[in-house]
Amino acid sequence: MPDMMTDEELREYNKHAKASQGFDVPKFKGKLVGMIVPYNLNKISTPILTDFSKQALQFYSNKNSTRFEFVKVVKATCRLAAGRIYYITFEALSGNVRATFRARVWNKIMKQGLELEVKYCEIHREEIE
């Protein structure tokens, strides 16, 4: 059985999770059921996260009548919850505006298989190029 979090680690974890809404949670030695953990970007995970980011960006664009184009995944965290909830930070462009987005997507387990649900997608930072 993995080492459970100490009280100090739990306080630190909760501080990071709350302050960043799950997007900037570092790796902790101890474990906690349902904890948010960093997700490694590699040749297998990056295409999946890219697809999820593009779907989140489409959700944002439809909601806000904008036309951003996806650029790249910056980082991600995730947690298990009847599938996985991903907290993805990615970049997108619209004209001369480069924006860093944060999206929370749930790749949920359904009777028919997996289904993606975009829970949240907003601009975190933007700059004019």
Side-chain angles (χ1 to χ4, degrees), residues 3 8 28 44 89 93 99 117 125-126:
D3 293 334
E8 184 178 329
F28 285 87
I44 295 170
T89 303
L93 289 171
E117 181 179 335
R125 282 188 308 271
E126 63 183 351

Side-chain angles (χ1 to χ4, degrees), residues 21 23 49-66 68 70 86-92 99-106 116-125:
Q21 298 176 322
F23 290 92
L49 294 172
T50 295
D51 180 52
F52 292 171
S53 298
K54 287 179 178 179
Q55 290 184 55
L57 191 58
Q58 185 64 48
F59 171 86
Y60 177 87
S61 293
N62 291 345
K63 183 178 165 185
N64 295 285
S65 300
T66 61
F68 278 90
F70 174 82
Y86 296 90
Y87 302 78
I88 309 168
T89 303
F90 63 92
E91 291 181 357
T100 301
F101 282 82
R102 284 182 165 180
R104 187 173 62 241
V105 298
W106 181 19
L116 190 74
E117 181 179 335
V118 177
K119 304 297 277 181
Y120 167 90
C121 184
E122 293 293 332
I123 293 176
H124 180 60
R125 282 188 308 271

Side-chain angles (χ1 to χ4, degrees), residues 5 9 17-18 27-28 34 39 46 53 66 75 86 95 103-104:
M5 284 187 150
E9 283 179 317
K18 184 177 180 179
K27 184 171 175 67
F28 285 87
Y39 199 73
T46 300
S53 298
T66 61
K75 63 183 173 179
Y86 296 90
R104 187 173 62 241

Side-chain angles (χ1 to χ4, degrees), residues 25-44:
V25 180
K27 184 171 175 67
F28 285 87
K29 181 180 173 188
K31 301 293 180 209
L32 177 70
V33 174
M35 75 185 294
I36 301 167
V37 297
Y39 199 73
N40 293 329
L41 299 180
N42 57 43
K43 66 182 180 180
I44 295 170

Side-chain angles (χ1 to χ4, degrees), residues 7-21:
D7 288 344
E8 184 178 329
E9 283 179 317
L10 184 57
R11 279 191 295 278
E12 191 68 17
Y13 168 81
N14 285 331
K15 182 176 102 177
H16 284 282
K18 184 177 180 179
S20 72
Q21 298 176 322

